[in-house]
């Protein structure tokens, strides 16, 4: 049985926004877990900036809360010094990110008042689950906030669409579309695409559970379509793993009829195609991500990668969901967001 790890706060991202959040939490003795997609902290600053780069604002505007720059730091902090400062910050506040762990989706479970977060440990390619009271998204303004970065996605030349902006399958007739994320919204979108004549495929990362007790009768044996029903029934599944039963009858019929193809996991994305686990390569025109952070009302806090609420209320979502570092105000904005989040969290 898949076990979920219970945490008070889950912080996503180990760059300045996540690190500041972690430091503020640690100072107030709030337990948290931090996950980071890359294999090190501050990967942007360590690996994706050029050597001669300096912070473009004077250091007094680029100091993280609760730790000053060492004596003798130049007014415009060079990249290397900034990385050293961040490393010092991580030591000082004993931040221990879980690296190579990418969050794929988070859904609020109203019954338990908890966020159920699916992530993937990329080192061993295993799905990990967290159940969190609070969720802090510190994934950076440039990360689109809720598109999980699958290896190779930046080089994909087709369309990459988020389910939150998906309207209808009308313009996808006869196109090859891949839906990533087989929760309720993924199933709905796949159904809509297929009924509009799109050549639809869906990526399923784990066994899917039918919605009805009579599921076997209605769906029949779907294992040959890549869908293995979990051994637990839907109610037990929900109470033990926090995962809702999904798959509606319409989608299941289309899968059985071969109108929607099922794949079990993405290995990598090429310019025009996707390679699945097992090595099969399939061309696609568009990839649709039915992932993201969904509150009780099913809505995402983000639109096009930024919070829907404008400054100064951008950082506060519903149900204990917060974001840090999305105010387009650099490191100063990050510090403000983190302090706001901690104040509300402690209430
Ligand atoms: C070249 C450059 C110069 C800048 N100079 C300044 C300056 O002088 N002063 C200033 O105030 N600001 C500056 N900024 C702006 C800002 O302060 C930085 O971009 C800062 O790094 C933002 O930090 P962040 O933590 O919000 O986001 P990011 O640095 O983007 O970090 C987000 C982290 O989240 C991780 N992540 C994303 N998605 C997931 C997921 N699904 N699961 C797990 N982990 C995930 C990423 O791997 C990444 O490590 C600059 C930015 C750039 C690019
Ligand atoms: C439809 O998609 C499948 C993969 O899911 C692919 O093998 C097949 O070639 C596609 N059909 C057309 C007509 O492109």
């Amino acid at each position: 049985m898949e076990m979920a790890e219970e945490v008070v706060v889950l912080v996503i991202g180990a760059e300045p926004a996540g690190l500041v959040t972690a430091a503020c939490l640690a100072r107030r003795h709030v337990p948290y877990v931090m996950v980071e997609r890359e294999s090190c902290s501050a990967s942007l600053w360590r690996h994706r900036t050029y050597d001669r780069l300096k912070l473009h604002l004077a250091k007094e505007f680029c100091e993280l809360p609760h730790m000053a720059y060492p004596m003798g730091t130049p007014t415009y902090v060079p990249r290397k010094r900034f990385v050293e400062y961040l490393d010092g910050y991580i030591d000082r506040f004993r931040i221990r990110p879980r690296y190579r762990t990418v969050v794929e989706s988070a859904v609020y479970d109203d019954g338990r008042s908890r966020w159920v977060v699916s992530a993937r440990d990329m080192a061993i390619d295993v799905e990990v689950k967290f159940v969190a009271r609070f969720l802090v998204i510190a994934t950076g303004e440039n990360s689109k906030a809720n598109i999980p970065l699958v290896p190779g996605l930046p080089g994909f030349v087709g369309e990459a669409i988020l389910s939150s902006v998906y309207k209808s399958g009308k313009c996808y007739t006869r196109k090859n579309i891949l839906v990533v994320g087989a929760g309720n919204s993924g199933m709905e979108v796949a159904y809509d695409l297929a009924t509009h004549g799109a050549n639809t495929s869906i990526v399923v990362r784990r066994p899917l559970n039918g919605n009805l007790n009579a599921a076997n009768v209605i769906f029949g044996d779907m294992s040959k379509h890549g869908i293995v029903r979990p051994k637990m029934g839907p109610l037990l599944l929900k109470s033990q793993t926090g995962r809702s039963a999904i798959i509606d009858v319409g989608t299941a019929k289309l899968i059985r009829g071969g109108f929607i193809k099922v794949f079990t996991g993405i290995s990598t994305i090429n310019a025009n195609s996707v390679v699945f686990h097992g090595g099969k390569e399939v061309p696609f025109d568009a990839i649709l991500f039915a992932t993201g952070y969904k509150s009780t009302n099913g809505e995402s806090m983000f639109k096009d990668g930024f919070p829907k609420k404008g400054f100064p209320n951008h950082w506060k979502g519903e149900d204990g969901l917060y974001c840090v570092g999305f105010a387009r105000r650099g490191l100063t904005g990050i510090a403000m967001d983190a302090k706001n989040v901690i104040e509300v969290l402690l209430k």
Side-chain angles (χ1 to χ4, degrees), residues 48-96:
R48 286 179 286 147
T49 45
Y50 53 97
D51 280 346
R52 282 179 22 252
L53 179 79
K54 292 182 169 63
L55 291 182
H56 56 247
L57 294 174
K59 64 179 172 184
E60 55 266 40
F61 303 105
C62 298
E63 206 158 78
L64 305 184
H66 313 301
M67 192 172 124
Y69 281 104
M71 295 273 283
T73 302
T75 304
Y76 291 92
V77 182
R79 181 193 75 97
K80 199 162 158 277
R81 292 275 194 108
F82 187 57
V83 171
E84 284 165 10
Y85 173 70
L86 292 177
D87 284 340
Y89 201 80
I90 289 170
D91 280 350
R92 158 89 66 103
F93 297 103
R94 298 173 204 278
I95 303 171
R96 301 275 176 276

Coordinates of all heavy atoms in Angstrom, one line a residue, residues 48-96:
R48 N 22.7 28.2 -13.9 CA 22.0 28.7 -15.1 C 22.2 30.2 -15.3 O 21.4 30.9 -15.9 CB 20.6 28.3 -15.1 CG 20.4 26.8 -15.4 CD 18.9 26.4 -15.4 NE 18.5 26.3 -14.0 CZ 17.2 26.6 -13.6 NH1 16.3 27.0 -14.5 NH2 16.9 26.5 -12.4
T49 N 23.3 30.7 -14.6 CA 23.6 32.2 -14.9 C 25.0 32.3 -15.3 O 25.8 31.4 -14.9 CB 23.4 33.0 -13.6 OG1 23.9 32.3 -12.5 CG2 21.9 33.2 -13.3
Y50 N 25.4 33.3 -15.9 CA 26.8 33.4 -16.4 C 27.7 33.9 -15.3 O 27.2 34.6 -14.3 CB 26.9 34.3 -17.6 CG 26.2 35.6 -17.5 CD1 27.0 36.7 -17.2 CD2 24.9 35.8 -17.7 CE1 26.4 38.0 -17.0 CE2 24.3 37.0 -17.5 CZ 25.0 38.1 -17.2 OH 24.4 39.3 -17.0
D51 N 29.0 33.6 -15.4 CA 29.9 33.9 -14.3 C 30.0 35.4 -13.9 O 30.1 35.7 -12.7 CB 31.3 33.4 -14.6 CG 31.4 31.9 -14.4 OD1 30.5 31.4 -13.8 OD2 32.4 31.3 -15.0
R52 N 29.9 36.3 -14.9 CA 30.2 37.7 -14.6 C 28.9 38.4 -14.0 O 29.0 39.5 -13.7 CB 30.7 38.4 -15.8 CG 32.2 38.1 -16.0 CD 32.9 38.7 -17.2 NE 32.2 39.9 -17.7 CZ 31.5 39.9 -18.8 NH1 31.4 38.8 -19.6 NH2 31.0 41.0 -19.2
L53 N 27.8 37.6 -13.9 CA 26.6 38.2 -13.4 C 26.7 38.8 -12.0 O 27.3 38.1 -11.2 CB 25.5 37.2 -13.5 CG 24.1 37.7 -13.0 CD1 23.4 38.5 -14.1 CD2 23.2 36.6 -12.6
K54 N 26.2 39.9 -11.8 CA 26.1 40.5 -10.4 C 24.6 40.7 -10.2 O 23.8 41.0 -11.1 CB 26.8 41.8 -10.3 CG 28.3 41.7 -10.4 CD 28.9 43.1 -10.2 CE 30.4 43.1 -10.1 NZ 31.2 42.6 -11.2
L55 N 24.2 40.7 -8.9 CA 22.8 41.1 -8.6 C 22.7 42.6 -9.1 O 23.6 43.4 -9.0 CB 22.6 41.1 -7.1 CG 22.6 39.7 -6.4 CD1 22.3 39.9 -4.9 CD2 21.5 38.8 -7.1
H56 N 21.6 42.9 -9.7 CA 21.5 44.2 -10.4 C 20.9 45.3 -9.4 O 20.8 46.4 -9.8 CB 20.6 44.1 -11.7 CG 19.3 43.5 -11.5 ND1 18.9 42.3 -12.0 CD2 18.2 44.0 -10.8 CE1 17.7 42.1 -11.6 NE2 17.2 43.0 -10.9
L57 N 20.6 44.9 -8.2 CA 20.3 45.8 -7.2 C 21.3 45.8 -6.1 O 22.0 44.8 -5.8 CB 18.9 45.5 -6.5 CG 17.7 45.6 -7.5 CD1 16.4 45.1 -6.7 CD2 17.5 47.0 -8.0
A58 N 21.5 47.0 -5.4 CA 22.5 47.1 -4.3 C 22.2 46.1 -3.2 O 21.0 45.7 -3.0 CB 22.6 48.5 -3.8
K59 N 23.2 45.6 -2.5 CA 23.1 44.5 -1.6 C 22.0 44.7 -0.5 O 21.4 43.8 -0.1 CB 24.4 44.1 -1.0 CG 25.0 45.1 -0.1 CD 26.3 44.6 0.5 CE 27.0 45.7 1.2 NZ 28.3 45.3 1.7
E60 N 21.8 46.0 -0.1 CA 20.8 46.2 1.0 C 19.4 45.8 0.5 O 18.6 45.5 1.3 CB 20.9 47.6 1.5 CG 20.7 48.7 0.5 CD 22.1 49.2 0.1 OE1 23.0 48.4 -0.2 OE2 22.2 50.5 -0.1
F61 N 19.2 45.8 -0.8 CA 17.9 45.4 -1.3 C 17.8 43.9 -1.7 O 16.8 43.4 -2.1 CB 17.5 46.2 -2.6 CG 17.5 47.6 -2.3 CD1 18.5 48.5 -2.8 CD2 16.5 48.2 -1.6 CE1 18.5 49.8 -2.5 CE2 16.5 49.6 -1.3 CZ 17.5 50.4 -1.8
C62 N 19.0 43.2 -1.4 CA 19.1 41.8 -1.8 C 19.4 40.9 -0.7 O 20.0 39.8 -0.9 CB 20.1 41.6 -3.0 SG 19.6 42.5 -4.4
E63 N 19.2 41.4 0.5 CA 19.5 40.6 1.7 C 18.3 39.8 2.1 O 17.2 40.3 2.1 CB 19.9 41.5 2.8 CG 20.8 40.9 3.9 CD 21.5 42.0 4.6 OE1 20.9 42.6 5.5 OE2 22.7 42.3 4.3
L64 N 18.5 38.5 2.4 CA 17.4 37.7 2.9 C 17.2 37.9 4.4 O 18.1 38.3 5.1 CB 17.7 36.2 2.6 CG 18.1 35.9 1.1 CD1 18.2 34.3 1.0 CD2 17.0 36.4 0.2
P65 N 16.0 37.8 4.9 CA 15.7 38.0 6.3 C 16.6 37.2 7.2 O 16.9 36.1 6.9 CB 14.2 37.6 6.4 CG 13.7 37.5 5.1 CD 14.8 37.3 4.1
H66 N 16.9 37.8 8.3 CA 17.6 37.2 9.4 C 19.1 36.8 9.1 O 19.6 36.0 9.9 CB 16.9 35.9 9.9 CG 15.4 36.2 10.1 ND1 14.9 37.1 10.9 CD2 14.3 35.6 9.5 CE1 13.6 37.1 10.8 NE2 13.2 36.2 10.0
M67 N 19.7 37.3 8.1 CA 21.1 37.0 7.9 C 21.7 38.1 7.0 O 21.3 38.3 5.8 CB 21.3 35.6 7.3 CG 22.8 35.2 7.3 SD 23.0 33.5 6.8 CE 24.2 33.7 5.5
A68 N 22.7 38.8 7.5 CA 23.4 39.9 6.8 C 24.5 39.3 5.9 O 24.9 38.2 6.1 CB 24.0 40.9 7.7
Y69 N 24.8 40.0 4.8 CA 26.0 39.6 4.0 C 27.2 39.8 4.9 O 27.3 40.7 5.7 CB 26.1 40.5 2.8 CG 25.1 40.2 1.7 CD1 24.0 40.9 1.4 CD2 25.4 39.0 0.9 CE1 23.1 40.6 0.4 CE2 24.5 38.7 -0.1 CZ 23.4 39.5 -0.3 OH 22.5 39.1 -1.3
P70 N 28.2 38.9 4.6 CA 29.5 39.1 5.4 C 30.1 40.4 5.1 O 29.9 41.0 4.1 CB 30.4 37.9 4.9 CG 29.6 37.2 3.9 CD 28.3 37.9 3.6
M71 N 30.9 40.9 6.1 CA 31.7 42.1 5.9 C 32.5 42.0 4.6 O 33.0 41.0 4.2 CB 32.7 42.3 7.1 CG 32.1 42.4 8.4 SD 31.7 44.1 8.8 CE 33.4 44.7 9.2
G72 N 32.6 43.2 3.9 CA 33.4 43.2 2.7 C 32.7 42.8 1.5 O 33.4 42.7 0.4
T73 N 31.5 42.4 1.6 CA 30.7 42.0 0.3 C 30.5 43.3 -0.5 O 30.1 44.3 0.0 CB 29.4 41.4 0.7 OG1 29.5 40.3 1.5 CG2 28.6 41.0 -0.6
P74 N 30.9 43.2 -1.8 CA 30.7 44.4 -2.7 C 29.2 44.8 -2.7 O 28.3 44.0 -2.5 CB 31.2 43.9 -4.0 CG 31.8 42.6 -3.8 CD 31.4 42.0 -2.5
T75 N 29.0 46.1 -3.0 CA 27.7 46.6 -3.1 C 26.8 45.8 -4.1 O 25.7 45.5 -3.8 CB 27.7 48.1 -3.6 OG1 28.6 48.8 -2.7 CG2 26.3 48.7 -3.6
Y76 N 27.4 45.5 -5.3 CA 26.7 44.7 -6.2 C 27.2 43.3 -6.1 O 28.3 43.0 -6.6 CB 26.8 45.3 -7.6 CG 25.9 46.5 -7.7 CD1 26.5 47.8 -7.5 CD2 24.6 46.5 -8.0 CE1 25.8 48.9 -7.5 CE2 23.8 47.7 -8.0 CZ 24.4 48.9 -7.7 OH 23.6 50.0 -7.7
V77 N 26.5 42.4 -5.5 CA 27.0 41.1 -5.1 C 27.2 40.2 -6.4 O 26.3 40.0 -7.1 CB 26.0 40.4 -4.1 CG1 26.6 39.1 -3.7 CG2 25.7 41.3 -3.0
P78 N 28.4 39.7 -6.6 CA 28.7 38.8 -7.7 C 28.0 37.5 -7.5 O 27.8 37.1 -6.4 CB 30.2 38.6 -7.7 CG 30.8 39.6 -6.8 CD 29.7 40.0 -5.8
R79 N 27.7 36.9 -8.6 CA 27.0 35.6 -8.6 C 27.6 34.6 -7.6 O 26.9 34.0 -6.8 CB 27.0 35.0 -10.0 CG 26.3 33.7 -10.2 CD 26.6 33.0 -11.5 NE 28.0 32.4 -11.4 CZ 28.2 31.1 -11.1 NH1 27.2 30.3 -10.9 NH2 29.4 30.7 -11.0
K80 N 28.9 34.5 -7.6 CA 29.5 33.4 -6.8 C 29.4 33.8 -5.3 O 29.1 32.9 -4.5 CB 31.0 33.4 -7.2 CG 31.7 32.2 -6.7 CD 33.1 32.0 -7.4 CE 34.0 31.1 -6.7 NZ 34.7 31.8 -5.6
R81 N 29.5 35.0 -5.0 CA 29.3 35.5 -3.6 C 27.8 35.2 -3.2 O 27.5 34.9 -2.0 CB 29.6 36.9 -3.4 CG 31.0 37.3 -3.6 CD 31.8 37.1 -2.2 NE 33.1 37.7 -2.3 CZ 33.4 38.8 -1.6 NH1 32.5 39.4 -0.9 NH2 34.6 39.3 -1.7
F82 N 26.9 35.4 -4.1 CA 25.5 35.2 -3.8 C 25.2 33.8 -3.5 O 24.5 33.4 -2.5 CB 24.6 35.8 -4.9 CG 23.1 35.7 -4.6 CD1 22.6 36.4 -3.4 CD2 22.2 35.0 -5.4 CE1 21.3 36.4 -3.1 CE2 20.9 35.0 -5.0 CZ 20.4 35.7 -3.9
V83 N 25.8 32.9 -4.3 CA 25.6 31.4 -4.1 C 26.2 31.1 -2.7 O 25.6 30.3 -1.9 CB 26.3 30.6 -5.2 CG1 26.3 29.1 -4.8 CG2 25.6 30.8 -6.5
E84 N 27.4 31.6 -2.4 CA 28.0 31.3 -1.1 C 27.1 31.8 0.1 O 26.9 31.1 1.1 CB 29.4 32.0 -0.9 CG 30.5 31.3 -1.7 CD 31.7 32.2 -1.9 OE1 31.8 33.3 -1.3 OE2 32.6 31.8 -2.7
Y85 N 26.5 33.0 -0.1 CA 25.6 33.5 0.9 C 24.4 32.6 1.0 O 24.0 32.3 2.2 CB 25.1 34.9 0.4 CG 24.0 35.6 1.2 CD1 24.3 36.0 2.5 CD2 22.8 35.8 0.7 CE1 23.3 36.6 3.3 CE2 21.8 36.4 1.4 CZ 22.0 36.8 2.7 OH 21.0 37.4 3.4
L86 N 23.8 32.1 -0.1 CA 22.7 31.2 0.0 C 23.1 29.9 0.7 O 22.4 29.3 1.5 CB 22.1 30.9 -1.4 CG 21.5 32.0 -2.1 CD1 21.0 31.6 -3.5 CD2 20.3 32.6 -1.3
D87 N 24.3 29.4 0.4 CA 24.8 28.2 1.1 C 24.9 28.4 2.6 O 24.6 27.5 3.4 CB 26.2 27.7 0.5 CG 26.0 27.0 -0.9 OD1 24.9 26.6 -1.2 OD2 27.0 27.0 -1.6
G88 N 25.4 29.6 2.9 CA 25.5 29.9 4.4 C 24.1 30.0 5.0 O 23.9 29.6 6.2
Y89 N 23.2 30.5 4.3 CA 21.8 30.6 4.7 C 21.2 29.2 5.0 O 20.6 29.0 6.0 CB 21.0 31.3 3.7 CG 19.7 32.0 4.1 CD1 19.7 33.2 4.8 CD2 18.5 31.4 3.9 CE1 18.6 33.9 5.2 CE2 17.3 32.0 4.3 CZ 17.3 33.2 4.9 OH 16.2 33.9 5.3
I90 N 21.5 28.3 4.1 CA 21.0 26.9 4.2 C 21.6 26.3 5.5 O 20.9 25.6 6.2 CB 21.3 26.1 2.9 CG1 20.5 26.6 1.8 CG2 21.2 24.6 3.1 CD1 20.9 26.1 0.4
D91 N 22.9 26.5 5.7 CA 23.6 26.0 6.9 C 23.0 26.6 8.2 O 22.6 25.9 9.1 CB 25.1 26.3 6.9 CG 25.8 25.4 6.0 OD1 25.2 24.4 5.5 OD2 27.0 25.6 5.7
R92 N 22.9 27.9 8.1 CA 22.4 28.6 9.3 C 21.1 28.1 9.8 O 20.8 27.9 11.0 CB 22.4 30.1 9.0 CG 21.5 30.9 9.9 CD 22.2 31.5 11.2 NE 23.3 32.4 10.8 CZ 23.2 33.7 10.9 NH1 22.1 34.3 11.4 NH2 24.2 34.5 10.6
F93 N 20.2 27.9 8.8 CA 18.8 27.5 9.2 C 18.6 26.0 9.0 O 17.4 25.6 9.1 CB 17.8 28.4 8.5 CG 17.9 29.8 8.8 CD1 18.5 30.7 8.0 CD2 17.4 30.3 10.0 CE1 18.7 32.0 8.3 CE2 17.6 31.6 10.4 CZ 18.2 32.5 9.5
R94 N 19.7 25.3 8.8 CA 19.6 23.8 8.7 C 18.5 23.3 7.8 O 17.7 22.5 8.1 CB 19.4 23.2 10.1 CG 20.4 23.5 11.1 CD 20.0 23.0 12.5 NE 20.7 23.7 13.5 CZ 22.0 23.4 13.9 NH1 22.6 22.4 13.4 NH2 22.6 24.1 14.9
I95 N 18.5 23.9 6.6 CA 17.5 23.6 5.6 C 18.0 22.3 4.9 O 19.1 22.2 4.4 CB 17.3 24.7 4.6 CG1 16.9 26.0 5.4 CG2 16.2 24.4 3.6 CD1 16.9 27.3 4.6
R96 N 17.1 21.3 4.8 CA 17.5 20.0 4.2 C 16.5 19.7 3.1 O 15.6 18.9 3.3 CB 17.5 18.9 5.2 CG 18.4 19.1 6.4 CD 19.8 18.6 6.1 NE 20.7 18.9 7.2 CZ 21.3 20.0 7.4 NH1 21.1 21.0 6.5 NH2 22.1 20.2 8.4

